[in-house]
């Protein structure tokens, strides 16, 4: 039987009597065996994190660790991409891009560590402040509990660890049970090659209920940073009422293509943005509202590109789209496609299940009540609907419980400005797909998409509080 791959808590390599088996979503082979942690390991990890914070890391050391992390992740790019591809069924070229993005995440966190500062407060602008000097200091809030999803098992972990290091907070990380190996390997690299002292990051692997609950409820945890589904995220926020809780949740990202918009450019981008990692991205382009005058041209261009996507083994360099994270998810998405067709949508291409693979799908004539429109598909499916007036398209895009990112293709300044002002989302993109993200930008949503912004500059501010200092003569 293969050996259990340990996790590290403090300076201890931890294994447990029981193992959790990590399986390939593509062909079901065993990827690794990892510890099945429980409340005992959570206790140990939170204690190690608290102990680490008793000996604070000065900002220049945090910056040096983050610089080293960026360089080390770049050096290990191919190894990390291989792990991502195997455990998440993310096509290898897309997995490499994820590893490259993690480099940028560490680089921009290093900038934050070097420049994090408070403000000078104009305290003598009011008479009681006369003769006094006031300023704020950015102080680490305390131990961070980081909980990450399966779909970006490296870079979304980096988006939690890197700002925490920049902020001076120690972390207990619980990676997704389906994809823990990228996080475990990153942690090893940080400790062995980047000068991160023991206890600053601790990894506990185990299910949400067994490990997640004691972690978010632990009295010595000050911050919870969570990326995942709204159902789990809001339940965590309810359990952690006295903690700072940052939630990055789901979306059913809309894109509007106005009559003046470059529909050919849009089709080229959507053929990637709707299908990358089989649509399992929180900003996967899902609902496309196209002006009636160009809807047939856009649909034909998109279908031609989607039919050229290569579906198969994630480790094959040619593959564009591989398996969904589990057979259950494949069956769910397939059922949503079938329901949409039963309710009047037309299957323009795809919709075919081949064992664990689902062929990239384009539906036309979607309506707001269909699951593929109203909820987050998290699968390789793009739905199209035609509109006549921009008012109608803006209303359709806004008709959602989510609010992460939305986008418009238009050549009209008026259309761009209306989208910027009227699309009720955390981010609005013009002549780009809603799937666009770079790692330093403020990224986060409203409504059921969450309550915070990630990107190291913003996350560091969530993980620190501002202490006011007033000095009187
Ligand atoms: P999920 O099922 O909500 O799981 C996310 C994480 O929460 C996993 O580590 C999971 O652990 C853990 N968890 C489950 N129950 C828990 C509990 N009671 N207490 C604490 N932790 C618990 O989400 P997922 O399926 O991995 O990811 C897909 C979702 O993430 C989608 O909705 C997607 O839109 C969203 N997402 C959002 C962003 C963003 O930045 N806004 C980015 C990526 C993904 P187990 O794995 O052990 O169950």
């Amino acid at each position: 039987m293969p050996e259990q791959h340990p996790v590290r808590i403090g300076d201890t390599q931890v294994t447990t009597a029981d193992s959790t088996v990590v399986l390939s979503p593509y062909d079901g082979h065993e990827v690794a065996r990892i510890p099945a942690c429980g409340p005992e390991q959570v206790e140990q990890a939170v204690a190690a994190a608290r102990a680490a914070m008793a000996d604070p890391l000065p900002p220049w050391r945090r910056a040096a660790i983050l610089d080293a992390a960026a360089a080390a992740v770049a050096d290990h790019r191919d190894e990390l991409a291989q792990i991502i591809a195997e455990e998440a069924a993310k096509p290898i070229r897309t997995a490499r891009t994820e590893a490259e993005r993690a480099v940028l995440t560490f680089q921009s966190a290093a900038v934050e560590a070097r420049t994090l500062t408070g403000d000078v407060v104009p305290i003598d602008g009011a008479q009681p402040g006369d003769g006094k000097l006031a300023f704020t200091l950015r102080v680490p809030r305390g131990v961070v509990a980081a909980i990450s999803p399966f779909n970006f098992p490296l870079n979304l972990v980096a988006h939690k660890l890197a700002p925490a290091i920049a902020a001076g907070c120690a972390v207990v990380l619980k990676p997704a049970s389906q994809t823990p190996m990228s996080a475990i390997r990153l942690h090893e690299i940080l400790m062995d090659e980047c000068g991160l002292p023991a206890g600053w990051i601790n990894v506990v692997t185990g299910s949400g209920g067994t490990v997640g609950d004691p972690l978010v409820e632990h009295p010595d945890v000050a911050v919870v940073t969570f990326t995942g589904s709204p159902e789990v995220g809001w339940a965590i926020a309810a359990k952690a009422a006295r903690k700072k809780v940052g939630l990055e949740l789901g979306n059913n990202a809309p894109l509007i293509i106005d009559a003046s918009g470059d529909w050919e450019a849009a089709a080229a981008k959507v053929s990637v943005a709707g299908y990358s990692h089989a649509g399992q991205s929180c900003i996967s382009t899902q609902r496309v509202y196209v002006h009636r005058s160009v809807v047939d041209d856009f649909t034909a261009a998109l279908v031609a590109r989607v039919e050229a996507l290569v579906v198969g083994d994630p480790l094959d360099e040619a593959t564009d789209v591989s398996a969904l994270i589990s057979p259950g998810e494949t069956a769910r998405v397939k059922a949503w496609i079938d329901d949409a067709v039963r309710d009047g949508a037309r299957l323009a291409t795809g919709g075919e299940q081949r064992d664990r693979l689902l062929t990239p799908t384009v539906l036309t004539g979607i309506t707001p009540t269909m699951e593929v429109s109203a909820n987050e598909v998290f699968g390789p499916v793009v739905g199209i609907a035609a509109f006549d007036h921009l008012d109608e398209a803006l209303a359709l895009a806004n008709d959602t419980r989510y609010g992460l990112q939305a986008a418009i293709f238009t050549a009209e300044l008026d259309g761009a400005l209306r989208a910027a002002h009227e699309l009720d989302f955390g981010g609005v993109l013009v002549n780009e797909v809603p799937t666009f993200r770079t790692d330093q930008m403020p990224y986060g949503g409203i409504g059921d998409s969450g309550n915070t912004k990630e990107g190291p500059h913003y996350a560091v501010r969530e993980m620190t509080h501002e202490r006011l200092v007033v000095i009187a003569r």
Side-chain angles (χ1 to χ4, degrees):
M1 187 181 296
E3 267 184 39
Q4 202 180 83
H5 191 119
V7 291
R8 298 192 192 180
I9 297 178
D11 56 9
T12 310
Q13 309 248 9
V14 173
T15 53
T16 56
D18 292 333
S19 293
T20 303
V21 180
V22 180
L23 299 173
S24 154
Y26 173 64
D27 59 12
H29 79 265
E30 183 174 322
V31 174
R33 279 170 193 246
I34 53 163
C37 296
E40 185 191 331
Q41 286 76 28
V42 170
E43 199 58 52
Q44 204 183 332
V46 175
R50 271 198 66 174
M53 286 191 72
D55 184 13
L57 284 175
W60 64 268
R61 277 194 68 197
R62 302 176 202 166
I65 291 164
L66 290 163
D67 278 342
V73 171
D75 286 348
H76 288 274
R77 180 194 74 155
D78 289 342
E79 178 201 353
L80 290 164
Q82 185 85 12
I83 297 171
I84 296 168
E86 221 183 328
E87 69 177 354
K90 182 170 284 194
I92 187 74
R93 285 181 283 117
T94 317
R96 252 182 238 124
T97 303
E98 181 176 346
E100 284 158 9
R101 284 184 52 190
V103 174
L104 294 175
T105 305
F106 279 107
Q107 282 171 344
S108 60
V111 171
E112 296 309 314
R114 287 205 169 83
T115 55
L116 184 63
T117 186
D119 293 320
V120 173
V121 179
I123 196 99
D124 52 2
Q127 193 279 328
D130 196 25
K132 294 185 171 61
L133 174 66
F135 54 90
T136 60
L137 295 173
R138 281 271 168 196
V139 180
R141 282 188 186 272
V143 172
V144 172
I147 302 175
S148 55
F150 75 81
N151 60 336
F152 285 85
L154 182 73
N155 193 36
L156 289 182
V157 168
H159 266 288
K160 304 198 177 307
L161 302 188
I165 294 169
C169 295
V171 182
V172 178
L173 169 69
K174 192 212 101 53
S177 295
Q178 286 142 321
T179 57
M181 299 314 295
S182 313
I184 291 173
R185 186 66 191 118
L186 175 64
H187 186 208
E188 291 167 353
I189 292 168
L190 292 174
M191 288 190 73
D192 297 344
E193 299 177 30
C194 305
L196 182 77
W200 281 92
I201 294 170
N202 308 276
V203 175
V204 286
T205 46
S207 74
T210 316
V211 162
D213 284 342
L215 182 57
V216 300
E217 288 170 15
H218 200 292
D220 291 337
V221 166
V223 179
V224 179
T225 167
F226 172 87
T227 302
S229 60
E231 293 67 30
V232 175
W234 292 120
I236 286 175
K239 283 180 215 153
R242 299 182 64 180
K243 304 180 197 300
K244 181 82 176 172
V245 180
L247 303 176
E248 289 282 2
L249 309 174
N251 194 30
N252 56 353
L255 167 66
I256 297 170
I257 302 171
D258 196 5
S260 67
D262 184 344
W263 54 265
E264 282 180 291
K269 290 205 174 213
V270 173
S271 70
V272 179
Y275 304 95
S276 180
H277 197 201
Q280 297 165 115
S281 157
C282 46
I283 41 173
S284 194
T285 301
Q286 179 176 326
R287 301 178 285 145
V288 185
Y289 302 112
V290 190
H291 192 270
R292 201 171 300 281
S293 61
V294 292
V295 69
D296 290 343
D297 291 336
F298 169 79
T299 304
L302 178 64
V303 166
R305 287 179 176 275
V306 168
E307 288 180 344
L309 294 172
V310 177
V311 181
D313 185 340
L315 294 173
D316 185 334
E317 288 289 336
T319 297
D320 296 303
V321 178
S322 189
L324 276 83
I325 194 67
S326 66
E329 280 296 280
T330 313
R332 175 189 60 77
V333 177
K334 169 78 174 125
W336 284 19
I337 295 167
D338 293 346
D339 288 353
V341 171
R342 188 202 57 214
D343 293 342
R346 187 177 77 83
L347 189 61
T349 191
E352 190 192 327
Q353 188 174 345
R354 295 186 201 144
D355 195 11
R356 290 164 184 252
L357 298 168
L358 193 56
T359 54
T361 303
V362 177
L363 291 166
T364 60
I366 58 159
T367 58
T369 53
M370 292 173 180
E371 291 277 19
V372 292
S373 179
N375 287 310
E376 182 179 36
V377 174
F378 232 54
V381 182
V382 169
I384 298 171
F387 70 88
D388 294 301
H389 301 290
L390 187 57
D391 288 342
E392 191 189 337
L394 292 167
L396 283 164
N398 281 335
D399 182 17
T400 175
R401 65 186 173 110
Y402 297 108
L404 189 46
Q405 292 196 156
I408 185 168
F409 273 76
T410 180
E412 307 281 341
L413 184 59
D414 185 55
L417 287 173
R418 283 200 63 191
H421 286 295
E422 295 177 37
L423 285 173
D424 208 9
F425 289 78
V428 173
L429 296 103
V430 176
N431 295 328
E432 211 5 299
V433 281
T435 317
F436 175 84
R437 181 180 184 186
T438 66
D439 293 280
Q440 81 279 21
M441 75 186 209
Y443 178 77
I446 57 170
D448 259 354
S449 292
N451 63 3
T452 190
K453 289 276 193 257
E454 273 192 349
H457 180 75
Y458 308 90
V460 165
R461 278 151 187 81
E462 297 278 286
M463 293 175 183
T464 52
H465 71 87
E466 272 191 297
R467 176 179 297 151
L468 172 71
V469 179
V470 179
I471 301 179
R473 277 195 288 205

